Amino acid sequence: MSNFTIYPAIDMRGGKCVRLVQGDYSKETVYGDSPLDMAKVFANDGAQWIHMVDLDGAKKGARVNDSHVLLVKKELNVSVQIGGGIRTEEDVAFYLENGIDRVILGSAAISNPQFVKDMLQKYGEKIAIGIDARDGYVATEGWVETSTIKATELGKKLAAEGAKTFIFTDIATDGMLSGPNVEAVRELAEVTKANVIASGGVSSLADLKDLSVYGESGIEGAIVGKALYTEQFTVKEALKEVEK
């Protein structure tokens, strides 16, 4: 039995399920009117986790689609992780107190490091750190800005402060169905000695196989979005592939 987790992604904008290409809000495809209905499909296919992103929240810097997140948790027997627009302890507590399993902090790791450090100390494993990188450097604020900090440096620092789970997105591959940047994911797992979830670029069952081989090295799972929506494969097929 594999410990490699498949995280089907539900990105929400205006209450609908959408996908963006490389985080570009002008390159949006709507895949469904109901995040709950989409999550049901994934759960029925065997998904144990659902990865949800509040795109409106990420842009606004405040929770926008939170009611959809809570509905998925309430209605389905799945674990849920949420990112996007989580900037305050009140936001973190809101989700965790309402049963959400993991909260993802992203841009705040650069813009408000003390806040992230405090949340890690207070909530431990219920906090995941989203690191989005462009050419190895951390991108922030919905990928609009690129910082001068290397993804591996930031990862190391946060692992020292207690981060146990990282979600690593290579922006060049996101929404492109071009294959994940396995090397970069592996490197982050190596330097942080933490669990790293790969995000971006998964286009085939072979990509999942390539990542799951490094389960022992810290690559804990993969977030899959566009490949599921464009029916390259199903959650059921993905789970079967990584269990081989």
Side-chain angles (χ1 to χ4, degrees):
M1 184 73 182
S2 164
N3 293 329
F4 191 85
T5 306
I6 302 294
Y7 294 85
I10 295 179
D11 291 5
M12 299 168 293
R13 191 166 178 213
K16 295 180 175 359
C17 294
V18 305
R19 296 300 294 166
L20 306 180
V21 174
Q22 293 181 318
D24 186 338
Y25 282 73
S26 67
K27 295 177 184 169
E28 174 190 273
T29 308
V30 176
Y31 284 106
D33 289 335
S34 162
L36 177 62
D37 288 350
M38 197 59 82
K40 264 183 193 156
V41 172
F42 296 146
N44 289 341
D45 247 2
Q48 291 178 339
W49 276 88
I50 304 285
H51 171 81
M52 302 186 79
V53 180
D54 183 351
L55 291 171
D56 296 307
K59 217 172 187 184
K60 195 179 169 191
R63 301 189 316 265
V64 177
N65 290 287
D66 46 5
S67 60
H68 297 286
V69 182
L70 301 192
L71 198 58
V72 167
K73 182 64 192 175
K74 184 171 165 260
E75 297 288 327
L76 305 176
N77 185 23
V78 289
S79 296
V80 175
Q81 62 183 21
I82 172 69
I86 300 164
R87 300 280 194 275
T88 65
E89 178 164 0
E90 187 203 347
D91 292 330
V92 174
F94 170 83
Y95 281 123
L96 295 179
E97 283 165 10
N98 280 289
I100 300 306
D101 301 271
R102 200 185 277 151
V103 169
I104 304 158
L105 300 179
S107 301
I110 300 283
S111 60
N112 194 348
Q114 188 58 48
F115 163 64
V116 174
K117 189 177 181 177
D118 292 346
M119 293 305 92
L120 284 169
Q121 283 173 356
K122 189 161 182 180
Y123 297 107
E125 292 185 6
K126 289 194 175 290
I127 302 290
I129 305 292
I131 295 185
D132 305 332
R134 188 183 276 115
D135 303 322
Y137 289 88
V138 177
T140 60
E141 304 311 325
W143 298 353
V144 181
E145 308 288 333
T146 304
S147 72
T148 53
I149 300 167
K150 281 199 142 179
T152 45
E153 278 168 34
L154 181 63
K156 231 181 192 162
K157 185 170 168 284
L158 290 165
E161 286 168 4
K164 298 276 187 281
T165 303
F166 290 94
I167 294 168
F168 179 78
T169 307
D170 178 35
I171 293 170
T173 65
D174 187 70
M176 300 301 286
L177 295 178
S178 55
N181 187 338
V182 181
E183 268 315 297
V185 186
R186 257 186 76 191
E187 191 187 0
L188 187 63
E190 222 159 78
V191 301
T192 60
K193 304 283 184 277
N195 289 324
V196 179
I197 300 166
S199 170
V202 171
S203 62
S204 66
L205 293 172
D207 291 337
L208 290 174
K209 197 72 184 160
D210 289 347
L211 288 163
S212 67
V213 166
Y214 298 105
E216 300 292 304
S217 317
I219 300 183
E220 185 267 337
I223 290 166
V224 189
K226 196 172 182 182
L228 294 173
Y229 292 100
T230 54
E231 298 177 354
Q232 313 288 323
F233 54 82
T234 64
V235 169
K236 203 176 267 178
E237 289 167 336
L239 291 167
K240 215 177 208 165
E241 186 63 34
V242 300
E243 278 173 9
K244 284 178 184 171

